[in-house]
Amino acid sequence: MGPSARSRRRKMSSSILIVLHQEHSSPGRVGLRLVERGFRLDVRRPCLGDPLPETLDQHAGAIIFGGPQSANDCHDYVRAEIDWIGVALKSGKPYLGICLGAQMLARHLGARVEPHPEGLVEIGYYPIRPTVAGTGLFAGRNGADEGADAEGNGSLWPDHVYHWHREGFELPAGAQLLAEGEAFPNQAFRYGPAAYGIQFHPEVTHHMMCRWTTRGSERMNLPGARPRQAHFIDRLLHDGRVRLWLDAFIDHWVGAQGRTPGGATPQPA
């Protein structure tokens, strides 16, 4: 079922809580995909004083995006966001943490967030590989084999994704690893049936990449970072698969509430 058909089936009053960390930050392509599916975006910026809701009763799910902050920062709003993740988990509704949002989820669950021991960063495109659990995430989609695309041509996961970070996270106790990397082994995980953390940035558009690589140009001098030109060349090579993955993941994520940890929807007794 395509986004337009899904959009007709969803009430426009359904909203997704979007947490951003800079004045001009954008939910990018993730926001666009949600709007295509009929969701409103309730954008909050706690760093600028916006409150977070006491419950998710008025929301269908929540996404905490990335930002220049660290999950180890002592800013009041950073600590408040990490604590607030308990509201999302208690609700049982879909939660997604992207980069900083994934690190915040890991911190909330008691795992460490820290820089690479050799000072390496991931800024640009880097390879990832799904685990067995990750490959099975989209089982049965479009009638394809487990983890396959619509033509049955293997995993829907892209082999390279876009990163912009210098810290990584431990896998929290009780979490299921979905994708691995080289310098930063933990790239995506699931906790319970509906909470996900990903270290990479599928939301990034071409315009966002232009802005990030201009305003953050000094970071491309850090150990392991890719040069600016490579960001755009690699985007031509890899972004098509990232888009396919994101479409499949968003469909899976918005339907995650009420799923069992194995990914299947519980059947009535």
Side-chain angles (χ1 to χ4, degrees):
M1 181 183 300
S4 61
R6 293 182 184 277
S7 177
R8 288 192 297 269
R9 293 184 58 183
R10 299 205 181 270
K11 296 180 179 179
M12 288 304 296
S13 60
S14 295
S15 65
I16 302 293
L17 181 69
I18 301 291
V19 180
L20 302 176
H21 295 101
Q22 296 184 94
E23 182 178 0
H24 300 294
S25 293
S26 164
R29 195 161 52 190
V30 167
L32 177 61
R33 294 297 183 266
L34 290 169
V35 170
E36 288 174 346
R37 286 156 175 78
F39 291 98
R40 288 190 309 110
L41 306 183
D42 178 5
V43 177
R44 311 280 182 105
R45 292 178 170 85
C47 61
L48 299 181
D50 292 343
L52 293 173
E54 294 183 1
T55 72
L56 279 183
D57 290 349
Q58 303 303 314
H59 297 85
I63 305 177
I64 296 182
F65 282 79
Q69 299 86 348
S70 167
N72 296 313
D73 285 348
C74 295
H75 300 306
D76 288 344
Y77 69 87
V78 171
R79 303 308 311 164
E81 281 185 44
I82 293 172
D83 291 343
W84 179 87
I85 290 173
V87 173
L89 297 182
K90 184 178 180 180
S91 75
K93 293 183 177 181
Y95 170 87
L96 173 61
I98 296 177
C99 197
L100 175 60
Q103 295 167 2
M104 287 179 164
L105 174 60
R107 280 294 308 271
H108 179 84
L109 296 173
R112 290 184 298 178
V113 173
E114 54 193 3
H116 189 276
E118 298 176 10
L120 298 178
V121 303
E122 288 183 323
I123 297 176
Y125 281 90
Y126 298 83
I128 62 167
R129 57 186 178 273
T131 63
V132 172
T135 302
L137 193 66
F138 309 114
R141 182 178 184 265
N142 294 333
D145 292 337
E146 183 170 304
D149 58 26
E151 288 75 36
N153 294 325
S155 175
L156 274 167
W157 288 79
D159 54 17
H160 286 70
V161 291
Y162 194 64
H163 290 86
W164 196 283
H165 68 98
R166 65 179 185 87
E167 292 184 310
F169 51 79
E170 286 184 327
L171 185 67
Q176 187 175 43
L177 187 64
L178 301 176
E180 304 171 304
E182 295 299 329
F184 292 85
N186 301 323
Q187 289 288 332
F189 69 95
R190 172 171 56 196
Y191 183 79
Y196 292 83
I198 58 175
Q199 184 63 82
F200 49 95
H201 289 277
E203 81 278 17
V204 169
T205 63
H206 177 80
H207 177 75
M208 291 169 68
M209 186 177 289
C210 290
R211 187 171 72 248
W212 290 14
T213 56
T214 299
R215 296 183 177 179
S217 59
E218 73 285 350
R219 297 198 178 191
M220 282 169 277
N221 296 319
L222 295 173
R226 300 276 287 157
R228 186 175 192 268
Q229 184 180 15
H231 291 225
F232 297 94
I233 294 174
D234 290 347
R235 182 176 177 84
L236 293 174
L237 295 173
H238 303 301
D239 192 57
R241 289 302 300 268
V242 174
R243 290 198 309 268
L244 290 173
W245 178 88
L246 181 61
D247 276 330
F249 179 80
I250 290 294
D251 285 341
H252 175 85
W253 182 76
V254 297
Q257 184 179 9
R259 292 179 186 269
T260 65
T265 301
Q267 299 299 315

